[in-house]
Amino acid sequence: MSTPRLAIVIVTAVLGVAVLAYAVPAIALAGDVPPDTKVAGVDIGGLSPDQARSRLEAELGPRAARPIEVRAAGKKTRLQAGELGLSVDAAATVAAAMDGASTPAGVFRSLFGSRELQPVVKVDEQALTGRIAKLAESVDREPREGVVSYQGLEPRTSPPKKGLALDRAAAAQAVRQAFLKDGGPLELTTKTLPPTVAAGEVRELATTTARTAVAADLTVTSGAKEAAITRAELAAGLRFTGEDGKLKPVFDAEQVVPGLEKKLVAASHLPRDATFKIVSGKPKVVPARDGKGIDVKGLGQAVAAAVAAGERTAEAPVKVTQARLTTEAAGRLGIKEKVSSYTTQHPCCAPRVTNIHTIAGIVDGYVVKPGETFSLNGVVGKRDTARGFVEAPMILNGRFVNDVGGGVSQFATTMFNAVFFGGFEDVQHMPHMYYISRYPAGRESTVSFPQPDFRWKNDSKYGVLIKTSFTSTSITVQFWSTKRYEVTSESSGRYNVKSFPSLSESGPKCQPMSGVEGFTIDVWRTFKKDGKVVRKQKFTTVYQPEPKLTCD
């Protein structure tokens, strides 16, 4: 045989052996997962696709069900794979394991090598993003800007505080990678959010601008008329807070508007709410009237701008104002019967009686709408001589002093009891420092301007009409609405009784004090409906000993 022919035979034989070496194992392995193939430690080599898929589901299922424990800002949370939208795609994992198995390289690897694969993880991006966002809500904390407010006329600072935010993209990536893996809590990355104004700037403003802002009254004008926001009123509504890198003044004008309107807007131009008059024991609607009034928000902005500019005058914006309660709305309020009434007594003819009658006249006929919170200071405003208030004794810093509007706490106490027995929600009341015998112990309230206020909420679905009346020795507050409850009161005995000290002082402003023991008392308010108790509420009041003060 010639040499060329011999070479051809040899090459053909070699190729035949190679083909057989590939074809025989390829045919033997066809349709199965290559031997010695593992997915996350689970051996699926040599199994059919269905068998491999079943084994993966059985072995990886419990691991996929394990919660992923994460920690962010020191707080641990367990996240379930299901709520994260993470799951093992067993079919796709088996397909990936068999991909290329029939190629020569795949056959060679099957015969002489092994593979360790990671499972194919299916991700519901919407679910993952939503759960990470919910986690962020429990972690994120907005930076707190520094604030300068007032205690009396003295500036007080609340320092700024850094905020915190979860890195949501990094958190989503981290929990993806932690899925199916063992390990301790996964530490998630957070970002620090700085406030816009540094603490040093807040402290500096408190000692400079904030003091200057309340150094004098601020004059408010409307046309040719003018009125004053006193230093105390200014301080009560003013604060400075960080915004866009600067400390800016903000003024809440709501408390001062009632008093200013009566001085800056003619009474004939003010809006008049619908109200009621009692005719033959039944409420009858008195129609409303639209008018003009001070724009509360606009006044707040004008005062803030004046403070920022260092000015002592601001223009009060006046706008057409609808009645707070229209005639039609009043007719739908369900005001049809007396639901509570309370009367307190007082000696005749003292200056404080003038103030009690004056505040009663202002509040008489006021209607509190369903869901509305009534503020005595908000409705009446600062007590002043222009509206008939006079100087009378009041308690200030533990001593009796004369002040315009002194004595109106008796009206607050009378209204508190109408609220109490009417079954309405007590929002803010402050008992007197000392026990006053003409009031029921534990069921009374003091009031001053701007604080403490007396506030209560009409938590019924009906309107409440406030009617007041008085004699020379008494004041009465009635509430008209639709009755919901029968309310009763029960009191404990007095306990923690403390004796009073005896003191002596001198000076023209000294006013003698008789001396009263201090004590603590509990009062329960019981709500009944159809004769059954539906709720009980407890009030605990602590009275300090009133000293026996002798004036030399």
Side-chain angles (χ1 to χ4, degrees):
M1 185 180 293
S2 63
T3 301
R5 297 180 77 184
L6 179 61
I8 292 170
V9 171
I10 293 171
V11 170
T12 302
V14 170
L15 288 173
V17 172
V19 169
L20 288 172
Y22 162 70
V24 171
I27 292 170
L29 297 171
D32 292 336
V33 177
D36 207 10
T37 298
K38 295 182 179 179
V39 176
V42 179
D43 189 354
I44 59 172
L47 301 179
S48 69
D50 287 344
Q51 292 172 327
R53 184 168 58 252
S54 295
R55 178 172 292 183
L56 286 177
E57 290 171 347
E59 296 286 338
L60 296 183
R63 278 196 256 171
R66 286 200 304 257
I68 301 172
E69 190 171 51
V70 299
R71 182 166 55 201
K75 180 180 179 181
K76 290 183 180 180
T77 305
R78 294 163 70 89
L79 303 176
Q80 300 296 332
E83 61 183 355
L84 290 166
L86 302 176
S87 60
V88 176
D89 191 334
T93 302
V94 172
M98 298 181 64
D99 186 32
S102 61
T103 65
V107 171
F108 181 83
R109 185 172 58 238
S110 297
L111 293 173
F112 304 107
S114 63
R115 284 198 300 172
E116 179 74 33
L117 303 177
Q118 292 302 316
V120 176
V121 176
K122 189 186 298 182
V123 182
D124 182 336
E125 295 291 349
Q126 185 174 0
L128 178 60
T129 301
R131 184 60 184 93
I132 295 299
K134 185 177 179 181
L135 174 65
E137 290 176 3
S138 67
V139 175
D140 291 356
R141 184 179 67 246
E142 289 293 328
R144 186 182 69 191
E145 296 293 344
V147 175
V148 179
S149 55
Y150 295 86
Q151 184 175 349
L153 295 174
E154 189 66 24
R156 291 288 182 266
T157 61
S158 296
K161 189 175 182 179
K162 294 178 181 178
L164 199 68
L166 180 69
D167 187 332
R168 300 188 184 193
Q173 183 63 24
V175 295
R176 282 182 196 236
Q177 294 173 350
F179 180 52
L180 299 177
K181 295 180 181 178
D182 296 324
L186 181 65
E187 196 71 43
L188 301 183
T189 305
T190 56
K191 304 174 184 177
T192 299
L193 305 177
T196 62
V197 181
E201 294 181 53
V202 177
R203 290 192 297 269
E204 182 181 355
L205 183 136
T207 60
T208 55
T209 306
R211 291 187 181 279
T212 304
V214 296
D217 294 351
L218 189 142
T219 301
V220 180
T221 63
S222 179
K225 296 185 177 182
E226 63 180 44
I229 298 177
T230 67
R231 297 173 64 201
E233 292 171 331
L234 195 58
L238 182 63
R239 62 188 176 91
F240 297 81
T241 187
E243 183 183 339
D244 300 330
K246 296 181 180 179
L247 281 166
K248 298 182 179 180
V250 178
F251 184 71
D252 182 358
E254 187 171 357
Q255 293 288 328
V256 300
V257 162
L260 293 176
E261 274 186 335
K262 292 175 174 61
K263 297 176 182 178
L264 298 178
V265 182
S268 58
H269 293 167
L270 288 170
R272 184 180 66 201
D273 290 344
T275 186
F276 295 77
K277 61 181 179 180
I278 309 301
V279 180
S280 301
K282 296 290 183 182
K284 182 179 179 181
V285 175
V286 177
R289 180 191 68 200
D290 293 343
K292 293 182 179 179
I294 293 176
D295 182 346
V296 177
K297 183 178 179 180
L299 177 62
Q301 293 170 341
V303 172
V307 170
E311 300 172 353
R312 308 310 305 177
T313 303
E315 177 76 16
V318 176
K319 65 177 183 179
V320 174
T321 306
Q322 290 185 334
R324 186 184 62 91
L325 180 63
T326 65
T327 306
E328 294 76 15
R332 298 192 297 266
L333 286 178
I335 295 175
K336 63 181 184 180
E337 60 189 328
K338 189 192 301 182
V339 297
S340 64
S341 178
Y342 202 79
T343 300
T344 59
Q345 308 293 326
H346 54 70
C348 173
C349 312
R352 65 187 303 275
V353 175
T354 299
N355 295 329
I356 295 169
H357 293 178
T358 300
I359 197 170
I362 293 172
V363 174
D364 184 46
Y366 192 89
V367 176
V368 185
K369 294 186 286 188
E372 189 174 59
T373 296
F374 175 91
S375 161
L376 189 59
N377 280 340
V379 171
V380 177
K382 182 176 175 60
R383 275 62 84 182
D384 52 36
T385 56
R387 289 183 296 157
F389 291 98
V390 298
E391 280 197 354
M394 64 174 286
I395 299 173
L396 179 65
N397 298 325
R399 294 291 185 270
F400 286 125
V401 299
N402 283 326
D403 191 32
V404 174
V408 295
S409 290
Q410 177 145 1
F411 181 82
T413 289
T414 311
M415 178 177 279
F416 173 79
N417 279 274
V419 170
F420 186 99
F421 289 105
F424 300 102
E425 180 183 339
D426 172 44
V427 175
Q428 178 190 358
H429 88 278
M430 179 183 290
H432 286 82
M433 177 184 292
Y434 307 134
Y435 171 62
I436 300 173
S437 60
R438 61 177 168 266
Y439 304 148
R443 287 203 333 256
E444 47 88 13
S445 179
T446 186
V447 68
S448 188
F449 190 90
Q451 287 294 337
D453 194 4
F454 170 55
R455 297 187 299 144
W456 59 275
K457 182 177 181 180
N458 176 10
D459 56 347
S460 76
K461 62 181 180 180
Y462 310 104
V464 178
L465 167 67
I466 303 171
K467 291 299 292 179
T468 67
S469 60
F470 49 80
T471 69
S472 60
T473 58
S474 68
I475 172 69
T476 298
V477 175
Q478 296 177 347
F479 283 176
W480 293 72
S481 184
T482 293
K483 197 170 187 68
R484 299 179 295 159
Y485 307 107
E486 292 291 340
V487 178
T488 58
S489 177
E490 181 183 357
S491 299
S492 71
R494 301 179 184 186
Y495 60 97
N496 292 340
V497 177
K498 298 179 181 179
S499 59
F500 57 84
S502 295
L503 306 173
S504 63
E505 293 181 1
S506 61
K509 294 185 179 181
C510 180
Q511 296 192 37
M513 302 173 72
S514 59
V516 177
E517 288 181 331
F519 60 90
T520 302
I521 191 169
D522 299 322
V523 174
W524 289 269
R525 177 162 67 153
T526 302
F527 298 76
K528 293 182 179 179
K529 196 166 188 176
D530 300 327
K532 296 181 180 180
V533 175
V534 295
R535 184 157 62 98
K536 290 189 94 172
Q537 183 180 18
K538 181 181 178 181
F539 296 84
T540 298
T541 304
V542 178
Y543 292 107
Q544 300 300 320
E546 176 190 320
K548 182 176 182 180
L549 179 63
T550 303
C551 296
D552 295 335

